[in-house]
Amino acid sequence: SAVISQKPSRDICQRGTSLTIQCQVDSQVTMMFWYRQQPGQSLTLIATANQGSEATYESGFVIDKFPISRPNLTFSTLTVSNMSPEDSSIYLCSVGTEGASVYGYTFGSGTRLTVV
Amino acid sequence: QKEVEQDPGPLSVPEGAIVSLNCTYSNSAFQYFMWYRQYSRKGPELLMYTYSSGNKEDGRFTAQVDKSSKYISLFIRDSQPSDSATYLCAMSDFNNAGNMLTFGGGTRLMVKP
């Protein structure tokens, strides 16, 4: 399965600022996803990062707040903009391979974000 | 009501015990059922998956799906302290755009030596 490097692993940020999280994969992957995991909560899909086109956002998430880039098949970034304490969470990158085989769904170690 | 319900625990058991972890769901379109294990400060890792109803065994782990009851289970035999983690169920129909996974909230398991 793909190996994911996610950076930073953690950060403490001031409210009103923005943080960009990077997800680097060691092989080309078809699908890349960004999830949020709030303390003690389930994983919630933020968006699907599409290579060469705009990301597809889930209900409750908007591009202005969570802009996503995917310039190629091995890299994506998620920016958390104009942060507030409610954005404190773990953000996870996930990748999938062609054919939607469940074995292809791999997660990064996550970015633990604290907004103060 | 959440689409997937999972008891958050924590569930504390002695080493060697049989552990039963469960999820219920409401969407009858779900066909693929997965269990992920998440250690502290790590991302989830796929443990087992099953398609439709039935059982699947892998070493000390057994996954069961009962679609008629919309109920899935993960059994861990001879539990070890290294099994201490949060266990997340996830499911999908893999037919919707983006092949989205819907996760349960996770059950925190602690296996005491």
Side-chain angles (χ1 to χ4, degrees):
Chain A
S1 59
V3 176
I4 301 173
S5 173
Q6 192 173 333
K7 295 179 181 179
S9 59
R10 61 192 308 153
D11 207 341
I12 300 173
C13 300
Q14 296 291 324
R15 69 174 67 201
T17 63
S18 298
L19 175 72
T20 295
I21 302 167
Q22 298 181 2
C23 178
Q24 178 73 56
V25 191
D26 69 343
S27 59
Q28 293 187 343
V29 293
T30 309
M31 296 169 284
M32 295 183 78
F33 307 95
W34 287 98
Y35 284 85
R36 181 173 72 183
Q37 186 175 28
Q38 294 179 305
Q41 300 296 315
S42 175
L43 278 75
T44 302
L45 181 66
I46 297 172
T48 302
N50 301 308
Q51 194 267 328
S53 63
E54 195 170 283
T56 304
Y57 290 84
E58 297 301 311
S59 176
F61 298 96
V62 295
I63 187 171
D64 290 345
K65 176 67 176 177
F66 298 101
I68 289 171
S69 77
R70 187 167 177 199
N72 56 53
L73 293 176
T74 64
F75 185 78
S76 177
T77 66
L78 168 75
T79 299
V80 186
S81 303
N82 188 25
M83 288 183 285
S84 66
E86 291 71 35
D87 294 319
S88 297
S89 187
I90 298 172
Y91 292 86
L92 292 150
C93 169
S94 175
V95 303
T97 56
E98 190 69 42
S101 164
V102 294
Y103 290 110
Y105 283 74
T106 306
F107 284 83
S109 292
T111 297
R112 186 177 295 267
L113 170 63
T114 303
V115 183
V116 297
Chain B
Q1 181 186 6
K2 294 180 181 178
E3 210 167 5
V4 179
E5 298 276 1
Q6 187 175 5
D7 188 332
L11 178 62
S12 181
V13 301
E15 183 176 355
I18 296 174
V19 176
S20 173
L21 304 167
N22 311 294
C23 288
T24 59
Y25 63 96
S26 57
N27 187 348
S28 59
F30 288 143
Q31 295 283 348
Y32 295 85
F33 304 90
M34 288 139 274
W35 286 95
Y36 283 82
R37 178 174 61 194
Q38 186 175 21
Y39 290 114
S40 179
R41 302 184 186 283
K42 297 290 185 182
E45 58 176 327
L46 182 64
L47 198 57
M48 292 190 71
Y49 88 96
T50 52
Y51 170 71
S52 193
S53 287
N55 296 354
K56 187 171 185 177
E57 188 173 322
D58 184 1
R60 297 184 295 110
F61 299 89
T62 300
Q64 286 186 353
V65 175
D66 182 350
K67 290 192 68 182
S68 63
S69 301
K70 295 189 180 67
Y71 187 88
I72 69 171
S73 300
L74 177 70
F75 297 96
I76 306 174
R77 292 184 298 280
D78 187 24
S79 57
Q80 303 295 309
S82 59
D83 294 328
S84 298
T86 296
Y87 290 80
L88 299 150
C89 64
M91 41 199 82
S92 175
D93 60 11
F94 280 122
N95 288 321
N96 59 333
N99 299 309
M100 186 178 74
L101 297 180
T102 302
F103 283 86
T107 299
R108 185 180 168 205
L109 172 66
M110 295 184 292
V111 181
K112 297 184 176 181

